[in-house]
Amino acid sequence: MEFGLTDKLCKKIKLDTLQRPEEQEAAFCWEVNFDIAFRKMIIFIVNASSRFAVIAYGISPGDLRKNLPGIAEGLIRQAMRDCIGIPETAIDAYFDAAGEAKLTKTHGKKAVGNMTRLMMDAPCWRVPVFTDIVYQDEMTDIANHEIFKDGPRDRDYRVVMEKMVDDLMRLGIISKEKRNMPRGASYAQLKQEVMKLQMGAEPSEDVAEYLRGGINESRWKHILTEDEAMELHNRLNELR
């Protein structure tokens, strides 16, 4: 697996020289860049093949310099699990197939252009940066629902996360039977389910299971008041 770092990021984390990319399989290559929000770094990690993206906030330059591959792997694992619903065994198989992580230069103009476009689009989403959590689940979810042109024909448009699943199928990491695997509940879905629960309605089965599975509490602070959170907690307990 290769992580292609931009010159801007290398300068920020004080990395002097990087080798040229060698990996031929674009699905195992990721581009990494950053921007600044509230005086801290917001990291963009984008797959060179599918454009599957992970967005994180508040990681220090020093931590990235010491362990960028480990940090990136953890974030990618979380996005694959929460955003698409990839089974843990398939995620392990993907990283095993990708091999040892290396830091390299970026993987060409197209891959960098895709990442740059994502970074330009992100401010237009009108989504807040949650400064008390690292993995930006709402921004990551929106990025992976983006539609892009993936072929010469007018109708060759794809959703980013579907392209990622197709790459995993092509590599033999997941089977065709898992093509329509359930994905994690999106941020918008969760907000809708909160409203349903507060009104006494039954939640959809997959989202209810996701809610019961536990969510970073800091995330709910941006959706619910303390009383609402307690009410939701009690309602979920009734459904167990």
Side-chain angles (χ1 to χ4, degrees):
M1 177 173 289
E2 292 182 350
F3 293 103
L5 278 58
T6 62
D7 291 340
K8 175 184 174 182
L9 180 58
C10 287
K11 184 177 180 180
K12 181 69 174 180
I13 65 176
K14 299 179 180 178
L15 283 180
D16 296 329
T17 57
L18 293 175
Q19 65 185 39
R20 290 185 176 276
E22 297 177 351
E23 177 61 61
Q24 298 299 310
E25 176 52 68
F28 295 146
C29 300
W30 299 79
E31 312 305 321
V32 189
N33 202 358
F34 80 99
D35 207 340
I36 297 294
F38 303 109
R39 299 185 179 182
K40 292 186 178 181
M41 297 174 69
I42 181 165
I43 308 298
F44 295 82
I45 306 170
V46 182
N47 187 265
S49 173
S50 65
R51 307 188 187 199
F52 187 77
V54 188
I55 302 173
Y57 176 78
I59 304 172
S60 71
D63 287 342
L64 288 175
R65 183 169 59 252
K66 293 175 185 176
N67 188 29
L68 191 151
I71 292 171
E73 177 177 336
L75 292 168
I76 293 167
R77 282 179 175 274
Q78 186 167 356
M80 292 174 75
R81 181 176 59 248
D82 294 351
C83 194
I84 312 180
I86 303 294
E88 200 68 43
T89 52
I91 296 174
D92 290 340
Y94 169 78
F95 281 97
D96 289 343
E100 182 182 358
K102 300 177 182 177
L103 301 182
T104 70
K105 296 182 179 181
T106 52
H107 298 86
K109 292 182 179 180
K110 182 178 179 180
V112 174
N114 293 338
M115 177 175 59
T116 302
R117 175 60 186 269
L118 173 66
M119 294 176 67
M120 292 173 63
D121 287 348
C124 301
W125 298 337
R126 297 183 179 180
V127 174
V129 175
F130 296 139
T131 57
D132 54 349
I133 57 177
V134 175
Y135 173 66
Q136 298 294 306
D137 47 4
E138 184 177 0
M139 295 183 74
T140 297
D141 190 73
I142 292 173
N144 292 320
H145 278 80
E146 290 283 281
I147 297 173
F148 70 99
K149 200 167 191 303
D150 189 36
R153 298 175 299 179
D154 290 341
R155 62 178 180 273
D156 289 337
Y157 284 89
R158 305 293 305 282
V159 176
V160 168
M161 64 180 186
E162 290 180 352
K163 173 66 173 174
M164 184 67 182
V165 172
D166 285 348
D167 279 347
L168 295 177
M169 286 175 53
R170 176 175 56 81
L171 295 168
I173 292 170
I174 60 175
S175 63
K176 292 184 179 180
E177 288 73 20
K178 295 290 184 70
R179 176 64 183 84
N180 294 318
M181 64 177 60
R183 55 176 294 277
S186 71
Y187 189 82
Q189 281 180 295
L190 291 174
K191 287 196 286 190
Q192 290 174 355
E193 293 301 326
V194 168
M195 294 176 65
K196 287 182 183 178
L197 288 166
Q198 290 173 330
M199 295 171 64
E202 292 294 319
S204 58
E205 184 177 346
D206 57 337
V207 175
E209 188 63 31
Y210 186 75
L211 288 167
R212 284 195 290 267
I215 297 176
N216 190 320
E217 290 183 5
S218 61
R219 182 184 191 190
W220 290 105
K221 294 177 184 177
H222 301 282
I223 307 175
L224 306 174
T225 66
E226 192 170 332
D227 289 341
E228 289 172 335
M230 182 59 68
E231 180 183 344
L232 174 61
H233 176 75
N234 293 336
R235 178 80 177 113
L236 287 173
N237 283 336
E238 293 173 6
L239 295 171
R240 294 191 179 190

